[in-house]
Amino acid sequence: MFAAATKNFVKQVGDGGRLVPVPSLSEADKYQPLSLVIKKRKCLLSKKSKFASTPFTLRDILLGEKEISAGVSSYQLLNYEDKSDVSLNGRRGNQIMNDVGFDVAGSDSVAFKASFGIVTKHEVEVPTLLKELTTRLKINFDHCLVHQSRKSRMEILCVVMESIRTTKQCSLTVHTGMRGETMRFHIIEDQNYKGRDKAIVFPAHTTIAFSVFELYIHLDGNF
């Protein structure tokens, strides 16, 4: 359900294809600026990739002085509320059935309502960071995450450069049913969610999308 909402957010906001939806609410705090993630390709020729979070940041894989002076700038991005009625037919329908997290048997459509409110963008000051990378920062090849990524041709080590976060407590509601029904977005917070209605509430400052830079590591430790 959370994954379906973040995918829809990225699709609507766009941003030239750079933004990646956060896959689950439980991992949302792992996609912060300068966090490390693994980009996994399905096969060598495939353009589609999945991202897996790690418990590490860029500082954790550096040699010597690990402090990074590049700061993170923040600003208000937009006020987001979405109402979507999506068919369950076809490939996208199969993905949505997996994402919503409850039984949708007997339904041919799903109605989403995502109230994210005002969301903010938090991004690394790239010119400052790039200046540091070319002067004093080198990779520790003995770090387990670096070692893992160097062995695999299907995985690329990446650093999160920006994250999109909510600013207040938010809600997601889902209703399943048949197309043509008029009761689409009747769900309100005071009602009991039963049957084919489901709702979740998640806290303020939850990351819903992010973007990355891929790390290209040279044999001398520069990157």
Side-chain angles (χ1 to χ4, degrees):
M1 189 170 170
F2 180 79
T6 58
K7 286 179 183 178
N8 214 34
F9 172 83
V10 167
K11 180 180 178 181
Q12 293 192 33
V13 174
D15 202 24
R18 293 189 305 114
L19 280 181
V20 181
V22 172
S24 71
L25 186 56
S26 62
E27 292 190 335
D29 62 341
K30 297 180 180 178
Y31 296 95
Q32 306 305 320
L34 297 182
S35 295
L36 294 176
V37 298
I38 298 293
K39 182 179 180 180
K40 298 182 178 182
R41 291 183 291 181
K42 294 182 179 181
C43 66
L44 288 176
L45 299 179
S46 175
K47 293 183 178 180
K48 293 185 177 181
S49 304
K50 288 187 176 182
F51 290 84
S53 63
T54 78
F56 304 108
T57 69
L58 181 61
R59 296 177 181 88
D60 295 325
I61 62 170
L62 298 179
L63 286 171
E65 176 60 51
K66 296 182 179 181
E67 286 304 315
I68 298 175
S69 60
V72 176
S73 57
S74 304
Y75 59 90
Q76 188 178 118
L77 186 61
L78 52 83
N79 193 336
Y80 181 84
E81 182 167 325
D82 175 52
K83 295 180 179 181
S84 300
D85 192 356
V86 184
S87 171
L88 293 177
N89 297 322
R91 181 185 301 176
R92 191 182 180 207
N94 292 331
Q95 293 175 342
I96 290 172
M97 284 189 280
N98 292 328
D99 288 342
V100 295
F102 69 109
D103 187 14
V104 295
S107 304
D108 70 356
S109 64
V110 172
F112 289 98
K113 181 177 180 180
S115 299
F116 289 162
I118 296 174
V119 298
T120 53
K121 177 184 281 192
H122 305 259
E123 57 185 356
V124 177
E125 296 170 354
V126 176
T128 304
L129 179 61
L130 292 180
K131 184 178 179 180
E132 289 191 87
L133 299 188
T134 57
T135 56
R136 65 180 184 84
L137 300 179
K138 289 192 175 184
I139 293 292
N140 177 10
F141 286 116
D142 292 329
H143 192 280
C144 60
L145 190 61
V146 178
H147 187 67
Q148 170 190 327
S149 64
R150 292 185 72 197
K151 289 197 306 181
S152 175
R153 299 180 63 191
M154 307 295 289
E155 297 182 353
I156 301 173
L157 191 58
C158 303
V159 59
V160 175
M161 297 302 292
E162 66 175 329
S163 64
I164 310 297
R165 302 179 203 164
T166 62
T167 56
K168 66 175 184 178
Q169 180 175 282
C170 302
S171 64
L172 299 174
T173 55
V174 174
H175 174 77
T176 63
M178 303 301 293
R179 282 190 175 277
E181 293 180 356
T182 59
M183 56 181 183
R184 272 292 167 253
F185 295 100
H186 72 287
I187 305 172
I188 59 176
E189 284 72 6
D190 294 335
Q191 291 180 330
N192 293 322
Y193 300 97
K194 297 179 180 179
R196 296 181 181 276
D197 294 347
K198 186 174 182 180
I200 62 171
V201 176
F202 55 93
H205 312 300
T206 297
T207 301
I208 56 177
F210 63 97
S211 70
V212 302
F213 278 0
E214 297 180 0
L215 296 183
Y216 294 88
I217 303 173
H218 301 285
L219 293 177
D220 61 359
N222 288 311
F223 64 105

